[in-house]
Protein backbone atom coordinates (compact mmCIF):
# COMPACT_ATOMS: atom_id res chain seq x y z
CA UNK A 1 0.00 0.00 0.00
CA UNK A 2 1.49 3.26 -1.10
CA UNK A 3 0.76 6.44 0.73
CA UNK A 4 1.10 9.84 -0.74
CA UNK A 5 3.13 12.34 1.12
CA UNK A 6 1.47 15.64 1.59
CA UNK A 7 3.20 18.41 3.49
CA UNK A 8 1.73 19.12 6.90
CA UNK A 9 -0.41 22.21 7.13
CA UNK A 10 2.00 23.98 9.46
CA UNK A 11 4.78 23.95 6.85
CA UNK A 12 2.95 26.21 4.45
CA UNK A 13 5.18 29.01 3.28
CA UNK A 14 3.96 32.36 4.34
CA UNK A 15 4.99 35.77 3.21
CA UNK A 16 6.94 37.68 5.87
CA UNK A 17 5.05 40.39 7.62
CA UNK A 18 6.28 43.91 7.35
CA UNK A 19 5.86 46.65 9.84
CA UNK A 20 4.11 49.65 8.46
CA UNK A 21 6.10 52.84 8.58
CA UNK A 22 5.48 54.80 11.76
CA UNK A 23 4.01 58.22 11.22
CA UNK A 24 6.37 61.03 12.05
CA UNK A 25 5.73 62.40 15.55
CA UNK A 26 4.12 65.79 15.61
CA UNK A 27 6.08 68.79 16.86
CA UNK A 28 4.13 69.13 20.14
CA UNK A 29 4.76 65.50 21.05
CA UNK A 30 8.44 65.80 20.21
CA UNK A 31 8.72 68.94 22.36
CA UNK A 32 6.97 67.18 25.28
CA UNK A 33 9.42 64.26 25.05
CA UNK A 34 12.36 66.67 25.10
CA UNK A 35 10.93 68.49 28.14
CA UNK A 36 10.38 65.15 29.87
CA UNK A 37 13.98 64.14 29.15
CA UNK A 38 15.25 67.46 30.54
CA UNK A 39 13.16 67.07 33.71
CA UNK A 40 14.48 63.53 34.24
CA UNK A 41 18.06 64.78 33.83
CA UNK A 42 17.42 67.48 36.44
CA UNK A 43 16.08 64.83 38.79
CA UNK A 44 19.05 62.54 38.22
CA UNK A 45 21.47 65.38 38.93
CA UNK A 46 19.81 66.05 42.27
CA UNK A 47 18.06 69.29 41.31
CA UNK A 48 14.74 68.07 42.65
CA UNK A 49 13.09 71.47 43.04
CA UNK A 50 13.76 72.37 39.39
CA UNK A 51 12.72 68.91 38.21
CA UNK A 52 9.50 69.16 40.22
CA UNK A 53 8.68 72.49 38.56
CA UNK A 54 9.44 71.03 35.12
CA UNK A 55 7.19 67.99 35.74
CA UNK A 56 4.41 70.25 37.03
CA UNK A 57 4.62 72.39 33.89
CA UNK A 58 4.69 69.36 31.60
CA UNK A 59 1.90 67.29 33.17
CA UNK A 60 -1.18 69.13 31.80
CA UNK A 61 -0.03 68.94 28.16
CA UNK A 62 1.97 65.68 28.20
CA UNK A 63 1.15 62.77 25.93
CA UNK A 64 -1.07 60.18 27.59
CA UNK A 65 1.62 57.49 27.85
CA UNK A 66 3.93 59.81 29.83
CA UNK A 67 1.33 60.83 32.40
CA UNK A 68 1.94 58.01 34.89
CA UNK A 69 5.71 58.38 34.70
CA UNK A 70 5.51 62.13 35.18
CA UNK A 71 3.27 61.72 38.26
CA UNK A 72 5.61 59.09 39.73
CA UNK A 73 8.73 61.19 39.17
CA UNK A 74 6.91 64.25 40.48
CA UNK A 75 6.12 62.47 43.76
CA UNK A 76 9.75 61.34 44.10
CA UNK A 77 10.98 64.91 43.55
CA UNK A 78 8.50 66.27 46.09
CA UNK A 79 9.71 63.79 48.71
CA UNK A 80 13.32 64.71 48.06
CA UNK A 81 12.61 68.43 48.41
CA UNK A 82 10.80 67.72 51.71
CA UNK A 83 13.93 65.95 52.99
CA UNK A 84 16.04 68.96 52.10
CA UNK A 85 13.77 71.30 54.02
CA UNK A 86 13.29 69.07 57.07
CA UNK A 87 13.56 70.91 60.38
CA UNK A 88 15.06 69.21 63.39
CA UNK A 89 14.40 70.09 67.01
CA UNK A 90 17.85 68.93 68.11
CA UNK A 91 21.15 67.57 66.88
CA UNK A 92 20.14 64.16 68.20
CA UNK A 93 17.01 64.22 66.06
CA UNK A 94 19.06 65.12 62.97
CA UNK A 95 21.48 62.31 63.85
CA UNK A 96 18.58 59.84 64.13
CA UNK A 97 17.42 60.95 60.69
CA UNK A 98 20.95 60.50 59.33
CA UNK A 99 21.07 56.97 60.76
CA UNK A 100 17.79 56.15 59.00
CA UNK A 101 19.28 57.45 55.74
CA UNK A 102 22.41 55.39 56.38
CA UNK A 103 20.37 52.25 56.98
CA UNK A 104 18.43 52.90 53.77
CA UNK A 105 21.69 53.13 51.81
CA UNK A 106 21.49 56.89 51.23
CA UNK A 107 25.13 57.39 52.17
CA UNK A 108 25.65 60.82 50.62
CA UNK A 109 22.60 62.27 52.37
CA UNK A 110 23.56 60.66 55.68
CA UNK A 111 27.10 62.08 55.41
CA UNK A 112 25.66 65.51 54.70
CA UNK A 113 23.54 65.43 57.88
CA UNK A 114 26.40 64.17 60.06
CA UNK A 115 28.61 66.96 58.71
CA UNK A 116 25.89 69.55 59.38
CA UNK A 117 25.84 68.44 63.02
CA UNK A 118 29.61 68.71 63.22
CA UNK A 119 29.57 72.22 61.73
CA UNK A 120 27.43 73.36 64.63
CA UNK A 121 29.14 71.20 67.24
CA UNK A 122 32.57 69.74 66.34
CA UNK A 123 32.54 67.86 69.67
CA UNK A 124 29.46 65.79 68.78
CA UNK A 125 30.52 62.25 69.61
CA UNK A 126 27.35 60.71 68.15
CA UNK A 127 27.86 62.43 64.76
CA UNK A 128 31.50 61.30 64.71
CA UNK A 129 30.39 57.78 65.60
CA UNK A 130 27.85 57.92 62.76
CA UNK A 131 30.55 59.01 60.33
CA UNK A 132 32.78 56.16 61.52
CA UNK A 133 29.97 53.66 60.82
CA UNK A 134 29.36 55.24 57.41
CA UNK A 135 33.07 55.06 56.60
CA UNK A 136 33.23 51.41 57.65
CA UNK A 137 30.24 50.50 55.49
CA UNK A 138 31.64 52.32 52.46
CA UNK A 139 35.12 50.83 52.86
CA UNK A 140 37.00 53.97 53.94
CA UNK A 141 38.75 52.27 56.86
CA UNK A 142 41.23 55.08 57.56
CA UNK A 143 38.43 57.64 57.95
CA UNK A 144 36.50 55.12 60.05
CA UNK A 145 39.37 54.82 62.50
CA UNK A 146 39.89 58.58 62.63
CA UNK A 147 36.24 59.34 63.38
CA UNK A 148 35.90 56.48 65.84
CA UNK A 149 39.06 57.52 67.71
CA UNK A 150 37.77 61.06 68.23
CA UNK A 151 34.28 59.80 69.12
CA UNK A 152 35.70 57.47 71.78
CA UNK A 153 37.94 60.21 73.19
CA UNK A 154 34.85 62.42 73.60
CA UNK A 155 32.65 59.64 74.98
CA UNK A 156 34.32 56.41 76.21
CA UNK A 157 30.96 54.57 76.02
CA UNK A 158 31.32 54.63 72.23
CA UNK A 159 34.09 52.04 72.62
CA UNK A 160 31.64 49.59 74.19
CA UNK A 161 29.03 50.41 71.56
CA UNK A 162 31.51 49.79 68.75
CA UNK A 163 32.51 46.40 70.15
CA UNK A 164 29.03 45.02 69.48
CA UNK A 165 28.17 47.05 66.37
CA UNK A 166 27.89 44.70 63.37
CA UNK A 167 28.53 47.61 60.99
CA UNK A 168 32.22 47.32 61.93
CA UNK A 169 32.50 43.66 60.95
CA UNK A 170 34.82 44.46 58.03
CA UNK A 171 37.14 46.22 60.48
CA UNK A 172 37.47 43.23 62.83
CA UNK A 173 40.72 41.98 61.29
CA UNK A 174 42.42 45.38 61.37
CA UNK A 175 44.86 45.47 64.31
CA UNK A 176 44.41 49.25 64.66
CA UNK A 177 40.69 48.72 65.17
CA UNK A 178 41.32 45.98 67.75
CA UNK A 179 43.79 48.20 69.64
CA UNK A 180 41.26 51.03 69.65
CA UNK A 181 38.45 48.89 71.04
CA UNK A 182 40.55 46.79 73.41
CA UNK A 183 43.41 49.00 74.61
CA UNK A 184 46.01 47.54 76.94
CA UNK A 185 45.68 48.84 80.50
Amino acid sequence: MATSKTPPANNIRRMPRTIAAQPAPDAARQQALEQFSTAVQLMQSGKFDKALAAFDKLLPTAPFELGDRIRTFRIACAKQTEKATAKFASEEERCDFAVVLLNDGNYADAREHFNEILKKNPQSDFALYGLSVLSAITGDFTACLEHLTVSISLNPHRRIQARSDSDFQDMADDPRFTELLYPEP
Side-chain angles (χ1 to χ4, degrees), residues 9 18 36 60 107 128 131 152 155 159:
T18 59
F36 176 76
Y107 302 137
L128 287 162
L131 281 175
I152 289 172
N155 182 352
R159 176 177 282 123

Side-chain angles (χ1 to χ4, degrees), residues 165-180:
D165 195 330
S166 63
D167 290 323
F168 292 118
Q169 66 187 4
D170 292 338
M171 298 289 297
D173 294 332
D174 189 323
R176 301 171 299 171
F177 181 72
T178 306
E179 290 172 17
L180 180 62

Side-chain angles (χ1 to χ4, degrees), residues 7 24 27 35 37 52 73 79 85 96-97 115 127 157 170:
Q35 289 173 340
S37 177
L52 180 59
F73 289 153
K79 286 185 179 184
T85 60
D96 290 343
F97 182 71
N115 285 330
H157 294 315
D170 292 338

